[in-house]
Amino acid sequence: MDLDIATIVGIVLGVGSLIYAFTLEGGTVTSLIGVSAALIVFGGTIGATITSYSMDDIKKVPGLLARAFKNEKDNYLEIIKYFTYLAQKARSEGLLSLESEIESEEIKKFDPILKESLELVVDGSDMELIRTTMENKIYIEDMEAKKEAGIFESAGGYAPTMGIIGTVMGLVHVLSNLSEPDKLGPSIAVAFIATLYGVSSANLLWLPIAQKLKNRAHIKRTERELILEGSLSLQAGENPKILERKLMTFITQAQRKNIPQKGSVELNEEVGR
């Protein structure tokens, strides 16, 4: 699996910075370890999150975690190349010639919505039907992706509160044993470990993963909107060069700097056609 270095570096740097800063002030790493605090914070956070969602949603968590650590790049340029090729083929051989592309290996590299939209185009569906069908599908899948990111967002909201609960529980235990004043300081310090776990896990783990998944969802939505626009252009019989120029507007200026300036024919040669 191609790992996302940014996710790994971010978590290691964040946690490492906290620990290093603590040791600079004379603290020891072992003093930051609290089994009971970890059980309260992480167990409580996971329990509250499970309560907030259905088991079907919770079963997705391992896959979502793996996705957060997996390197995913957008397919904007590849989609544009493919649609430029499709437009050229439709222009020279007719729209029905695209039927052979529906089961091709090339189309399997992209989001399944491309195959569905191409089927609608080949079937001769009118543009309004294609737009409505695809926009509804894009909306539903985008909402599902946001819901998945919301699982980690919820965990990020519960974790600090669980940390406070753990600290309060620890202080209750400390105040019930005031007969040993010399142990009061260390006991209070241990009680506050729960707050540390809650706040740090929320801001270094749960919320960043939620934002990572949101960013991935945004890229997917843009890819699907690009596919929709390309499909409508195919149905309208637009000139391949005009189609390509239109779809290139989905690529930001920063991304364009890394794209060689090539014409439609050269782009299609890269697709392997």
Side-chain angles (χ1 to χ4, degrees), residues 4-24:
D4 184 0
I5 302 301
T7 303
I8 298 172
V9 170
I11 293 176
V12 172
L13 180 61
V15 175
S17 296
L18 293 181
I19 295 175
Y20 181 61
F22 182 73
T23 56
L24 280 179

Side-chain angles (χ1 to χ4, degrees), residues 110-160:
F110 305 111
D111 192 287
I113 199 174
L114 199 161
K115 179 180 178 181
E116 294 177 37
S117 62
L118 190 57
E119 286 175 344
L120 289 172
V121 170
V122 172
D123 287 343
S125 304
D126 62 69
M127 295 180 68
E128 191 58 36
L129 175 61
I130 295 174
R131 182 183 295 278
T132 302
T133 303
M134 291 299 104
E135 282 183 347
N136 288 343
K137 189 171 183 63
I138 290 170
Y139 173 78
I140 294 299
E141 294 193 6
D142 187 53
M143 288 299 100
E144 184 63 25
K146 288 179 178 178
K147 181 181 179 182
E148 292 170 349
I151 296 174
F152 295 92
E153 211 164 38
S154 296
Y158 295 134

Side-chain angles (χ1 to χ4, degrees), residues 1-262:
M1 182 176 70
D2 188 11
L3 295 176
D4 184 0
I5 302 301
T7 303
I8 298 172
V9 170
I11 293 176
V12 172
L13 180 61
V15 175
S17 296
L18 293 181
I19 295 175
Y20 181 61
F22 182 73
T23 56
L24 280 179
E25 297 298 324
T28 59
V29 176
T30 54
S31 63
L32 293 176
I33 299 174
V35 177
S36 59
L39 185 60
I40 292 171
V41 172
F42 291 102
T45 297
I46 293 171
T49 305
I50 290 175
T51 304
S52 303
Y53 293 86
S54 69
M55 284 309 299
D56 287 337
D57 293 327
I58 298 301
K59 288 176 183 178
K60 298 178 183 178
V61 169
L64 294 173
L65 275 172
R67 189 181 173 200
F69 285 89
K70 182 181 177 182
N71 189 29
E72 292 184 9
K73 297 180 180 179
D74 65 72
N75 288 322
Y76 301 156
L77 185 58
E78 292 301 315
I79 292 171
I80 294 172
K81 291 176 185 176
Y82 190 56
F83 269 106
T84 304
Y85 158 74
L86 292 176
Q88 288 181 331
K89 184 173 182 178
R91 194 175 183 83
S92 61
E93 303 175 28
L95 203 57
L96 289 177
S97 66
L98 301 183
E99 188 171 6
S100 61
E101 294 294 326
I102 294 175
E103 299 300 331
S104 67
E105 289 299 317
E106 188 69 28
I107 204 170
K108 294 177 182 178
K109 298 191 303 183
F110 305 111
D111 192 287
I113 199 174
L114 199 161
K115 179 180 178 181
E116 294 177 37
S117 62
L118 190 57
E119 286 175 344
L120 289 172
V121 170
V122 172
D123 287 343
S125 304
D126 62 69
M127 295 180 68
E128 191 58 36
L129 175 61
I130 295 174
R131 182 183 295 278
T132 302
T133 303
M134 291 299 104
E135 282 183 347
N136 288 343
K137 189 171 183 63
I138 290 170
Y139 173 78
I140 294 299
E141 294 193 6
D142 187 53
M143 288 299 100
E144 184 63 25
K146 288 179 178 178
K147 181 181 179 182
E148 292 170 349
I151 296 174
F152 295 92
E153 211 164 38
S154 296
Y158 295 134
T161 304
M162 291 300 165
I164 294 174
I165 291 173
T167 297
V168 171
M169 291 173 67
L171 291 176
V172 168
H173 177 68
V174 169
L175 295 176
S176 65
N177 291 279
L178 293 178
S179 57
E180 301 179 70
D182 56 320
K183 295 183 179 180
L184 191 61
S187 297
I188 292 176
V190 170
F192 277 100
I193 293 296
T195 298
L196 173 64
Y197 284 179
V199 175
S200 59
S201 65
N203 292 280
L204 293 176
L205 185 63
W206 307 125
L207 294 179
I209 288 178
Q211 187 59 48
K212 174 76 75 173
L213 293 175
K214 282 183 179 180
N215 293 342
R216 298 272 170 80
H218 176 72
I219 291 173
K220 273 294 179 185
R221 182 182 179 93
T222 304
E223 285 184 357
R224 288 164 180 160
E225 289 174 345
L226 176 58
I227 290 170
L228 171 58
E229 194 61 42
S231 300
L232 293 175
S233 296
L234 278 179
Q235 179 69 336
E238 290 183 359
N239 182 289
K241 289 185 178 180
I242 294 176
L243 178 147
E244 181 187 330
R245 192 175 297 118
K246 180 194 291 186
L247 298 186
M248 284 295 288
T249 59
F250 282 81
I251 298 181
T252 64
Q253 196 62 38
Q255 289 172 306
R256 291 188 190 190
K257 291 180 180 179
N258 298 321
I259 299 174
Q261 296 301 312
K262 299 180 179 181

